Amino acid sequence: MGRRALPGPARIMIALAALLAVHTGCAGDGTQEPESQIPLEPTLPAIQANIFTPVCAVPGCHAGAGAPLGQRLDSVADSFNSIVGVLSVERSDLMLYRVDPGDPDNSYLVWKIEGRPDIEGARMPLGQPPLSQEQISAVREWIQNGAPEAPP
């Protein structure tokens, strides 16, 4: 006996449910426990695994060649090369680096994730809950420690 195909609306509902399940598991809304095996520490590899990859480098955000303002956060190397010592173009009048090694208070990335009033556009991550204080603290401490690409 052959299998009967589901009617069109049922197929669509199943496909949407599957898509939602996949998207929810990797949405990286800043509040879910990331699937990373690396604990959140103030190092770029840990920040990459726990914040940048699951929260920022998602389709339509800071991933791939079409990343906004060239700020790719797909890998440790991409993240380092596109944010550390790179002038922010979003508020070029301020002459701030996206990440100014040793100076989190004058790093535009920190301004964006903290939602400071001087930023252009919206707080990051866009369209998602803000990062937790633990996540923001890890980013700030990494920058305070000189924003190295690899842990000492």
Side-chain angles (χ1 to χ4, degrees), residues 78-118:
D78 285 331
S79 296
F80 185 83
N81 291 327
S82 71
I83 63 174
V84 177
V86 176
L87 282 173
S88 170
V89 295
E90 198 170 77
R91 285 293 312 268
S92 58
D93 59 312
L94 297 176
M95 296 297 295
L96 290 175
Y97 291 107
R98 290 173 175 168
V99 168
D100 189 354
D103 193 357
D105 290 331
N106 288 307
S107 293
Y108 196 64
L109 173 70
V110 171
W111 290 27
K112 290 292 280 191
I113 64 175
E114 289 181 344
R116 293 197 187 170
D118 294 342

Side-chain angles (χ1 to χ4, degrees), residues 26-30 50-58 61 125 128-129 131 135:
C26 64
D29 67 3
N50 289 281
I51 302 170
F52 292 163
T53 296
V55 178
C56 309
V58 295
C61 290
Q128 298 182 51
L131 296 180
Q135 292 169 315

Side-chain angles (χ1 to χ4, degrees), residues 13-73:
M13 292 303 291
I14 290 171
L16 285 174
L19 181 61
L20 180 61
V22 168
H23 181 69
T24 301
C26 64
D29 67 3
T31 59
Q32 296 177 357
E33 187 67 31
E35 295 180 20
S36 168
Q37 298 299 315
I38 300 174
L40 181 58
E41 298 174 340
T43 66
L44 185 54
I47 291 166
Q48 183 71 48
N50 289 281
I51 302 170
F52 292 163
T53 296
V55 178
C56 309
V58 295
C61 290
H62 294 284
L69 306 174
Q71 188 170 329
R72 289 188 66 170
L73 301 174

